[in-house]
C-alpha cells in the first residue's frame, strides 16, 4: 500500500475502526480466512466513485467517477492487528484514504486504486460465481505464510 499526503496512513494512529469495502473484502469467505472472523458488515454506497475492473486481475479498484455510485459494505470494529493484515494484503497500487459515506459522521477509510483501470465496472456477483472459492483459498495461503504466528 502506498501512502500519499492525503492518505490516512496505517501507522498514524488516526485509523478508525471502519472500512468501506467494495471488492473482495466484502465477502465473508475472504474476511474469515484473513482475519479469523467476519466483522460487522452493513451495506452502503459511495457516490462519486465506481468499482472498476482492473487489467489482468480478478479483484477491483475504487476510482473516482463523478456520476457513479460504488456499492459495498462498511466493515465495523476492526482492530489494529486486523488493519495490519489488511494493509499487508492490499497491493501497492492501493492508497488508504478517507471517504465520506451517507449517514456516517466523519470520514471512513477505504482503499483507492491509483493505477490504470479498465473502463468497465467489476461485478461482485460475477466474481463470486467464477473466482471466490479460489480467491479465498489463495488468501488463506497468503495469510498463513505472511502472518504464521497470528492464527
Amino acid at each position: 500500500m502506498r501512502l500519499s499526503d492525503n492518505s490516512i496512513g496505517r501507522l498514524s494512529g488516526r485509523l478508525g475502526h471502519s472500512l468501506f469495502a467494495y471488492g473482495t473484502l466484502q465477502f465473508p469467505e475472504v474476511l474469515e480466512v484473513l482475519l479469523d472472523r467476519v466483522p460487522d458488515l452493513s451495506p452502503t454506497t459511495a457516490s462519486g466513485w465506481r468499482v472498476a475492473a482492473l487489467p489482468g486481475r480478478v479483484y477491483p479498484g475504487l476510482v473516482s467517477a463523478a456520476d457513479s455510485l460504488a456499492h459495498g459494505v462498511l466493515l465495523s470494529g476492526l482492530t489494529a492487528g486486523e488493519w495490519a493484515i489488511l494493509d499487508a494484503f492490499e497491493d501497492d497500487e492501493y492508497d488508504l484514504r478517507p471517504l465520506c459515506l451517507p449517514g456516517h459522521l466523519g470520514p471512513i477509510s477505504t482503499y483507492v486504486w491509483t493505477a490504470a483501470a479498465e473502463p468497465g465496472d467489476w461485478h461482485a456477483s460475477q466474481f463470486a460465481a467464477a473466482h471466490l472459492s479460489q480467491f479465498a483459498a489463495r488468501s488463506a495461503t497468503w495469510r498463513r505464510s505472511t502472518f504464521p504466528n497470528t492464527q
Side-chain angles (χ1 to χ4, degrees), residues 6-62:
N6 64 345
S7 84
I8 293 172
R10 63 181 145 189
L11 300 177
S12 71
R14 292 184 287 141
L15 283 176
H17 299 284
S18 299
L19 172 73
F20 174 65
Y22 52 85
T24 61
L25 294 179
Q26 67 184 310
F27 289 94
E29 298 89 337
V30 175
L31 293 167
E32 181 67 42
V33 299
L34 290 177
L35 305 179
D36 292 329
R37 72 179 188 101
V38 178
D40 291 336
L41 304 173
S42 304
T44 191
T45 57
S47 62
W49 298 89
R50 74 177 181 93
V51 181
L54 302 177
R57 295 176 168 97
V58 298
Y59 53 85
L62 189 67

Side-chain angles (χ1 to χ4, degrees), residues 52-105:
L54 302 177
R57 295 176 168 97
V58 298
Y59 53 85
L62 189 67
V63 297
S64 181
D67 294 327
S68 293
L69 194 61
H71 297 278
V73 297
L74 185 66
L75 279 68
S76 300
L78 294 171
T79 67
E82 290 169 339
W83 273 113
I85 292 167
L86 296 177
D87 283 341
F89 183 70
E90 295 296 353
D91 285 350
D92 287 341
E93 290 89 0
Y94 288 102
D95 191 13
L96 189 60
R97 295 184 187 170
L99 177 72
C100 292
L101 295 176
H104 298 278
L105 296 176

Side-chain angles (χ1 to χ4, degrees), residues 134-149:
Q134 269 191 309
F135 189 87
R138 284 194 315 270
S139 298
T141 300
W142 173 88
R143 166 69 195 270
R144 284 191 301 274
S145 66
T146 307
F147 293 90
N149 298 321

